[in-house]
Amino acid sequence: MKQVLDLERWPLHELDTADGRALVDRCRNELRDTGMFGLAALIRPDALEACVTEVEPLFDSAAFTQSRDHNIYFDDGIRDLEASHPALRRFTTVNRTVCGDQIPASVIAQLYEWRPLMDFLAAAMGKPRLYPMADPLGRINVMAYRAGEQLNWHFDRAEFTITILLQAPVSGGQFQYRSALRSDSDPNYDGVARLLAGRDQCLQTLELAPGTLNVFRGKNTAHRVTPVEGERARIIAVLSYYETPDVTFSDTERMGFYGRAATVGAQA
């Protein structure tokens, strides 16, 4: 894995050393203070180029293209609010998704299965252990956003979201977020409405460089990607791990996320 990752700068495979412990402490502190942490240029340039080369052709030939009208909750059944409440403002998200079962031998799949990465992430998040997702579609999603496309405002379902930017666009495609906008006990609907109206002074924009591993509290952090500009797509991998083994999506969830329930091999 040393040919893929810059483990001299980021010794995430040596958690029992002073440098490894210092890295975990730094990431934990950043999660606590800001709601996220990043490891810039974790993937080496040659490996990053290989990741893009492996997945980019699939966006034209085999990806699921989704254009979705939604609110920030991806849920039309928020019973606490009237349909006209400004926290339920509608947006559109457009992207193309390649699933884990379409790239089983890829560099990103090898990285996903690497146990030291899981152990590092668990330590940084304060979890006893993380397991790879059993769902062959959902475990790895690589998403492309082309000119005019974007990932609009939303909260994630998972407590933490793990991404690796593989390719940056010419311009646009900026990651914007508002940490701790809500909590498990307080939905803060008025605060959500202020954010969507452009009146939240705590909104932040993060400039991600290709090869950066980014971890943030996706469940209670509102976030979006601004529209991409130019001919080069924004390509990002999303890695899903869980605290329990054997987690899968239902067929209904798969259809909604990926437009299919069966794996590539089963379809063939």
Side-chain angles (χ1 to χ4, degrees):
M1 197 56 67
K2 290 184 178 181
Q3 290 74 37
V4 175
L5 304 180
D6 186 351
L7 297 176
E8 289 79 20
R9 181 181 183 188
W10 306 115
L12 50 83
H13 62 313
E14 296 177 340
L15 302 185
D16 57 346
T17 66
D19 287 343
R21 290 191 292 269
L23 176 60
V24 169
D25 288 343
R26 183 212 119 180
C27 294
R28 282 186 175 181
N29 292 338
E30 290 185 10
L31 270 179
R32 181 195 63 218
D33 297 339
T34 70
M36 70 170 56
F37 72 83
L39 305 184
L42 174 64
I43 299 185
R44 297 184 181 277
D46 288 348
L48 192 61
E49 183 178 353
C51 289
V52 174
T53 299
E54 287 171 333
V55 73
E56 194 168 31
L58 297 175
F59 289 120
D60 286 323
S61 63
F64 174 59
T65 300
Q66 185 175 65
S67 178
R68 183 172 181 179
D69 174 76
H70 62 90
N71 58 37
I72 194 171
Y73 306 101
F74 279 116
D75 185 355
D76 293 331
I78 305 295
R79 298 179 180 179
D80 298 342
L81 300 178
E82 296 290 335
S84 60
H85 194 284
L88 296 180
R89 180 178 173 181
R90 309 294 295 185
F91 301 96
T92 300
T93 285
V94 181
N95 70 279
R96 292 164 176 79
T97 301
V98 169
C99 297
D101 64 328
Q102 295 172 288
I103 50 172
S106 64
V107 172
I108 202 71
Q110 295 172 38
L111 175 58
Y112 176 82
E113 294 282 359
W114 193 46
R115 171 48 62 181
L117 174 62
M118 292 180 243
D119 292 342
F120 161 73
L121 291 169
M125 296 175 186
K127 305 293 185 183
R129 186 174 174 87
L130 290 178
Y131 297 88
M133 190 180 189
D135 194 301
L137 279 70
R139 55 181 16 214
I140 305 167
N141 288 171
V142 186
M143 301 175 180
Y145 300 87
R146 295 178 175 176
E149 299 175 348
Q150 71 174 115
L151 174 63
N152 228 311
W153 284 116
H154 67 290
F155 295 103
D156 290 337
R157 300 197 305 173
E159 180 184 2
F160 292 99
T161 302
I162 305 157
T163 68
I164 301 176
L165 185 66
L166 302 182
Q167 178 173 279
V170 174
S171 60
Q174 294 178 311
F175 180 76
Q176 295 186 326
Y177 67 101
R178 170 48 159 96
S179 293
L181 182 58
R182 66 177 185 177
S183 69
D184 292 344
S185 60
D186 180 11
N188 190 19
Y189 293 129
D190 290 340
V192 171
R194 284 193 297 272
L195 173 73
L196 302 185
R199 294 187 287 106
D200 190 323
Q201 296 182 353
C202 294
L203 173 67
Q204 298 185 68
T205 299
L206 181 65
E207 297 291 343
L208 289 174
T212 298
L213 172 77
N214 190 47
V215 178
F216 63 97
R217 295 186 179 274
K219 183 178 180 181
N220 292 323
T221 297
H223 53 286
R224 71 171 178 177
V225 175
T226 63
V228 166
E229 302 172 16
E231 296 184 358
R232 187 169 65 239
R234 182 183 194 267
I235 302 177
I236 191 162
V238 181
L239 311 181
S240 294
Y241 300 101
Y242 287 83
E243 294 179 67
T244 56
D246 303 323
V247 174
T248 64
F249 287 140
S250 67
D251 285 353
T252 300
E253 289 173 316
R254 285 182 175 184
M255 288 298 299
F257 296 146
Y258 313 122
R260 60 186 171 96
T263 63
V264 168
Q267 287 179 319

